[in-house]
Amino acid sequence: MDIDFDDDRARVQRDAVWRWLSTEAYWGGWRTRDDLEAQLDSAWRVVGVYRRDTGEQVGFARAVSDGVGFAYLADVYVVGEHSGRGARAAHALAHDRRGSGRGLPLGALHPRRAQPLRAVRLRGSR
């Protein structure tokens, strides 16, 4: 099954992100839906992971940053059979060669099960 990584904020399926983070994420249980909405709105970058055949969102990552020298990666997940591809979304957030992310080092990621980061191309990236 093919998947796409996309950094279009408008494509993020907020209900899907909320559902996963509020029920599955060991780190996400403290926040309210309003908290998550504020975090999504103020994120420096977001990347959704989508099934190509259905458009269903199956993963997500967001980053906060000062835009100059530091980016903190947060809320990285990929569901079920797509697991293992979350690191690619994280890499896309940290190392996309377009726009303000160009060359900015990834500052921190603290998952229990970190996967190696691998290069991925965002749709429309050069």
Side-chain angles (χ1 to χ4, degrees):
M1 181 173 324
D2 291 331
I3 61 170
D4 289 322
F5 297 87
D6 194 347
D7 65 347
D8 180 357
R9 288 177 182 273
R11 190 173 177 193
V12 171
Q13 298 165 10
R14 290 176 177 234
D15 288 339
V17 173
W18 168 249
R19 186 171 37 259
W20 199 91
L21 290 176
S22 66
T23 62
E24 301 294 328
Y26 66 87
W27 67 88
W30 61 269
R31 68 187 124 181
T32 67
R33 176 68 186 251
D34 287 341
D35 292 334
L36 177 64
E37 292 294 333
Q39 289 173 324
L40 294 176
D41 291 341
S42 66
W44 172 65
R45 296 280 311 277
V46 296
V47 172
V49 182
Y50 306 92
R51 285 181 53 156
R52 190 170 292 159
D53 59 346
T54 65
E56 173 191 9
Q57 185 166 346
V58 297
F60 177 78
R62 71 178 175 93
V64 294
S65 174
D66 63 6
V68 177
F70 180 81
Y72 180 88
L73 189 58
D75 296 331
V76 178
Y77 76 87
V78 177
V79 298
E81 71 217 44
H82 308 286
S83 185
R85 297 177 179 173
R88 293 185 202 167
H91 191 268
L93 273 170
H95 297 287
D96 181 26
R97 299 192 194 292
R98 297 181 293 153
S100 62
R102 193 176 45 238
L104 187 66
L106 179 64
L109 173 62
H110 306 286
R112 287 186 183 167
R113 294 181 345 180
Q115 305 259 346
L117 295 178
R118 289 170 255 172
V120 63
R121 258 181 84 148
L122 292 176
R123 185 184 316 181
S125 64
R126 294 178 193 158

